[in-house]
Amino acid sequence: MADTNTTEPGPGLDFLGSEFVNSKGETVSAESLQGKIVGIYFSAHWCPPCRGFTPKLAEFYKSLQASGKPFEIIFVSSDRSPQEFGSYLQEMPWLAVPFAQSSHRSGLSRKFSVMGIPTFVLLRPDGTLMTKSGRSVVSQDPRGANYPWAGMTPDFSIMDYCTLL
């Protein structure tokens, strides 16, 4: 794996937006992301593989939260309606880009070259990419025991993960 350690600061997390919503409909400031590893979850209510992965991701998230790890997830919806979005968000204990921000949601999908859903991207607290293979991290480390997943590079694969253990 290539070494991606650098003394250059990352881009920060501003590109994610300034405010998010939670399942209670409350607005949460982006300041709540400071110092945290952030997962970006591209998913939709109508997508069967997403519906299968979301409960696993929720358990992963709850485990990290319960152990006090600085970690947050931002849901980026591909749902077709605000009703689908709202219903699906009820199953998620994390934050979301507001459904009304369709151009912002599309821009995030382009930024990370999302070709299909579910996609789970992990970012370092400085906004640099850890991996686009976050689903593999959840599958291989379902309780987050290896947090903060040191040694990961943006081109991380499941085979790389096996060598980290």
Side-chain angles (χ1 to χ4, degrees), residues 7-47:
T7 57
E8 296 291 318
L13 295 169
D14 292 346
F15 66 88
L16 291 174
S18 60
E19 293 183 334
F20 307 99
V21 295
N22 63 23
S23 61
K24 298 174 189 166
E26 301 165 333
T27 300
V28 179
S29 169
E31 291 175 7
S32 68
L33 303 179
Q34 289 182 337
K36 296 180 180 180
I37 290 176
V38 176
I40 306 174
Y41 184 39
F42 297 90
S43 183
H45 183 268
W46 51 263
C47 167

Coordinates of all heavy atoms in Angstrom, one line a residue, residues 7-47:
T7 N 2.3 16.1 5.6 CA 2.2 17.2 6.5 C 1.3 18.3 6.0 O 1.0 19.3 6.7 CB 3.6 17.8 6.8 OG1 4.2 18.2 5.5 CG2 4.5 16.8 7.4
E8 N 0.8 18.1 4.7 CA -0.1 19.1 4.2 C -1.5 19.0 4.8 O -1.9 17.8 5.0 CB -0.2 18.9 2.7 CG 1.0 19.1 1.9 CD 1.4 20.5 1.8 OE1 0.5 21.4 1.6 OE2 2.6 20.8 2.0
P9 N -2.1 20.1 5.1 CA -3.5 19.9 5.7 C -4.4 19.4 4.7 O -4.2 19.6 3.5 CB -3.8 21.4 6.1 CG -2.9 22.2 5.3 CD -1.7 21.4 5.0
G10 N -5.5 18.7 5.1 CA -6.5 18.2 4.2 C -7.4 19.3 3.8 O -7.3 20.5 4.3
P11 N -8.4 19.0 3.0 CA -9.3 20.0 2.5 C -10.3 20.5 3.6 O -11.1 21.4 3.3 CB -10.0 19.3 1.4 CG -10.0 17.9 1.7 CD -8.7 17.7 2.4
G12 N -10.3 19.8 4.7 CA -11.4 20.1 5.7 C -12.7 19.4 5.3 O -12.7 18.8 4.3
L13 N -13.7 19.6 6.1 CA -15.0 19.0 5.8 C -16.0 20.0 5.4 O -17.2 19.6 5.3 CB -15.4 18.2 7.1 CG -14.5 17.1 7.5 CD1 -15.0 16.6 8.9 CD2 -14.6 15.9 6.5
D14 N -15.6 21.2 5.0 CA -16.6 22.2 4.6 C -17.4 21.8 3.4 O -18.6 22.2 3.3 CB -15.9 23.5 4.3 CG -15.3 24.2 5.5 OD1 -15.7 23.8 6.7 OD2 -14.5 25.1 5.4
F15 N -16.8 21.0 2.5 CA -17.6 20.6 1.3 C -18.8 19.7 1.6 O -19.6 19.5 0.8 CB -16.6 19.8 0.3 CG -16.1 18.5 0.9 CD1 -16.8 17.3 0.7 CD2 -14.9 18.4 1.6 CE1 -16.4 16.1 1.1 CE2 -14.4 17.2 2.1 CZ -15.2 16.1 1.8
L16 N -18.9 19.2 2.8 CA -20.0 18.4 3.2 C -21.3 19.2 3.5 O -22.4 18.7 3.5 CB -19.7 17.5 4.5 CG -18.7 16.4 4.3 CD1 -18.4 15.8 5.6 CD2 -19.2 15.4 3.3
G17 N -21.1 20.5 3.7 CA -22.2 21.4 4.0 C -22.1 22.0 5.4 O -21.2 21.6 6.2
S18 N -22.9 22.9 5.7 CA -22.9 23.6 7.0 C -23.9 23.1 8.0 O -23.7 23.3 9.2 CB -23.1 25.1 6.8 OG -24.3 25.4 6.2
E19 N -24.9 22.4 7.5 CA -26.0 21.9 8.4 C -26.5 20.6 7.9 O -26.6 20.4 6.7 CB -27.1 22.9 8.5 CG -26.8 24.2 9.2 CD -28.0 25.1 9.4 OE1 -28.9 25.0 8.6 OE2 -27.9 25.9 10.3
F20 N -26.9 19.8 8.8 CA -27.4 18.4 8.5 C -28.7 18.3 9.3 O -29.0 19.1 10.2 CB -26.4 17.3 8.9 CG -25.1 17.6 8.3 CD1 -24.1 18.1 9.0 CD2 -24.9 17.3 6.9 CE1 -22.8 18.4 8.4 CE2 -23.6 17.5 6.3 CZ -22.6 18.1 7.1
V21 N -29.5 17.2 9.0 CA -30.7 16.9 9.8 C -30.5 15.5 10.4 O -29.7 14.7 9.9 CB -32.0 16.9 8.9 CG1 -32.2 18.4 8.4 CG2 -31.9 16.0 7.8
N22 N -31.2 15.3 11.5 CA -31.2 14.0 12.1 C -32.6 13.4 12.0 O -33.5 14.0 11.4 CB -30.7 14.0 13.6 CG -31.6 14.8 14.5 OD1 -32.8 15.1 14.2 ND2 -31.0 15.3 15.6
S23 N -32.8 12.2 12.5 CA -34.1 11.5 12.4 C -35.2 12.2 13.1 O -36.4 11.9 12.8 CB -33.9 10.0 12.8 OG -33.6 10.0 14.2
K24 N -34.9 13.1 14.0 CA -35.9 13.8 14.8 C -36.3 15.1 14.0 O -37.2 15.8 14.5 CB -35.4 14.2 16.1 CG -35.1 13.0 17.0 CD -34.5 13.4 18.3 CE -34.0 12.2 19.1 NZ -33.1 12.5 20.2
G25 N -35.7 15.3 12.9 CA -36.0 16.6 12.1 C -35.2 17.8 12.6 O -35.4 18.9 12.1
E26 N -34.3 17.6 13.6 CA -33.5 18.7 14.1 C -32.3 19.0 13.2 O -31.8 18.1 12.5 CB -32.9 18.3 15.5 CG -34.0 18.0 16.5 CD -33.5 17.2 17.7 OE1 -32.4 16.5 17.6 OE2 -34.1 17.4 18.8
T27 N -32.0 20.3 13.1 CA -30.8 20.7 12.4 C -29.6 20.6 13.3 O -29.6 21.0 14.4 CB -31.0 22.2 11.9 OG1 -32.2 22.2 11.1 CG2 -29.8 22.7 11.1
V28 N -28.5 20.1 12.7 CA -27.3 19.9 13.4 C -26.2 20.6 12.6 O -26.0 20.4 11.4 CB -26.9 18.4 13.6 CG1 -25.6 18.2 14.3 CG2 -28.1 17.7 14.4
S29 N -25.4 21.4 13.3 CA -24.3 22.2 12.7 C -23.1 21.3 12.3 O -22.8 20.3 12.9 CB -23.8 23.2 13.6 OG -22.6 23.8 13.2
A30 N -22.5 21.6 11.2 CA -21.3 20.9 10.7 C -20.2 20.9 11.7 O -19.3 20.1 11.7 CB -20.8 21.4 9.4
E31 N -20.2 21.9 12.6 CA -19.2 22.0 13.7 C -19.1 20.7 14.5 O -18.1 20.4 15.1 CB -19.5 23.2 14.6 CG -19.2 24.5 13.9 CD -19.6 25.7 14.8 OE1 -19.9 25.5 16.0 OE2 -19.6 26.8 14.2
S32 N -20.2 20.0 14.5 CA -20.3 18.7 15.3 C -19.4 17.6 14.7 O -19.1 16.6 15.3 CB -21.7 18.2 15.4 OG -22.2 17.7 14.1
L33 N -18.9 17.9 13.5 CA -18.0 16.9 12.8 C -16.5 17.1 13.2 O -15.7 16.2 12.9 CB -18.1 17.0 11.3 CG -19.5 16.8 10.8 CD1 -19.5 17.0 9.2 CD2 -20.1 15.5 11.2
Q34 N -16.2 18.2 13.8 CA -14.8 18.5 14.1 C -14.1 17.4 14.9 O -14.6 16.9 15.9 CB -14.6 19.9 14.8 CG -15.0 21.0 13.9 CD -14.8 22.4 14.7 OE1 -14.9 22.4 15.9 NE2 -14.6 23.4 13.9
G35 N -12.9 17.0 14.4 CA -12.1 16.0 15.1 C -12.6 14.6 14.9 O -12.1 13.7 15.6
K36 N -13.6 14.4 14.1 CA -14.1 13.0 13.9 C -13.8 12.4 12.5 O -13.6 13.1 11.5 CB -15.7 13.1 14.0 CG -16.2 13.5 15.3 CD -17.7 13.5 15.4 CE -18.2 14.0 16.8 NZ -19.6 14.0 16.8
I37 N -13.6 11.1 12.5 CA -13.7 10.4 11.2 C -15.1 10.4 10.8 O -16.0 10.2 11.6 CB -13.1 8.9 11.4 CG1 -11.6 8.9 11.7 CG2 -13.5 8.1 10.2 CD1 -11.0 7.6 12.0
V38 N -15.3 10.7 9.5 CA -16.7 10.8 9.0 C -16.9 9.8 7.9 O -16.1 9.7 6.9 CB -16.9 12.3 8.4 CG1 -18.3 12.4 7.8 CG2 -16.8 13.3 9.6
G39 N -18.0 9.1 8.0 CA -18.4 8.2 6.9 C -19.5 8.9 6.1 O -20.4 9.5 6.7
I40 N -19.4 8.8 4.8 CA -20.5 9.3 4.0 C -21.2 8.1 3.4 O -20.6 7.3 2.7 CB -20.0 10.2 2.9 CG1 -19.1 11.3 3.5 CG2 -21.1 10.8 2.1 CD1 -18.4 12.1 2.4
Y41 N -22.5 8.0 3.7 CA -23.3 6.9 3.3 C -24.3 7.2 2.1 O -25.2 8.0 2.4 CB -24.1 6.3 4.5 CG -24.9 5.1 4.2 CD1 -24.4 4.0 3.4 CD2 -26.1 4.9 4.8 CE1 -25.1 2.9 3.2 CE2 -26.9 3.7 4.6 CZ -26.3 2.7 3.8 OH -27.1 1.6 3.5
F42 N -24.0 6.7 0.9 CA -24.8 7.0 -0.2 C -25.7 5.8 -0.3 O -25.3 4.6 -0.5 CB -23.9 7.0 -1.5 CG -23.0 8.2 -1.5 CD1 -21.7 8.1 -1.0 CD2 -23.3 9.4 -2.0 CE1 -20.8 9.1 -0.9 CE2 -22.5 10.5 -2.0 CZ -21.2 10.4 -1.5
S43 N -27.0 6.0 -0.2 CA -28.0 5.0 -0.1 C -29.4 5.5 -0.5 O -29.6 6.7 -0.7 CB -28.0 4.4 1.3 OG -28.9 3.4 1.5
A44 N -30.4 4.5 -0.6 CA -31.8 4.9 -0.9 C -32.7 3.9 -0.3 O -32.4 2.7 -0.3 CB -32.0 5.1 -2.4
H45 N -33.9 4.3 0.1 CA -34.9 3.5 0.6 C -35.3 2.4 -0.3 O -35.6 1.2 0.1 CB -36.1 4.3 1.0 CG -37.3 3.6 1.6 ND1 -38.3 3.1 0.9 CD2 -37.5 3.4 2.9 CE1 -39.2 2.6 1.8 NE2 -38.7 2.7 3.0
W46 N -35.4 2.7 -1.6 CA -35.9 1.7 -2.6 C -34.9 0.7 -3.1 O -35.2 -0.2 -3.8 CB -36.3 2.5 -3.9 CG -35.3 3.5 -4.4 CD1 -35.2 4.8 -4.2 CD2 -34.2 3.1 -5.2 NE1 -34.2 5.3 -4.8 CE2 -33.5 4.4 -5.5 CE3 -33.7 2.0 -5.8 CZ2 -32.3 4.4 -6.2 CZ3 -32.5 2.0 -6.6 CH2 -31.9 3.3 -6.8
C47 N -33.6 0.7 -2.6 CA -32.5 -0.1 -3.0 C -32.4 -1.3 -2.1 O -32.0 -1.2 -0.9 CB -31.2 0.7 -3.0 SG -29.7 -0.2 -3.1

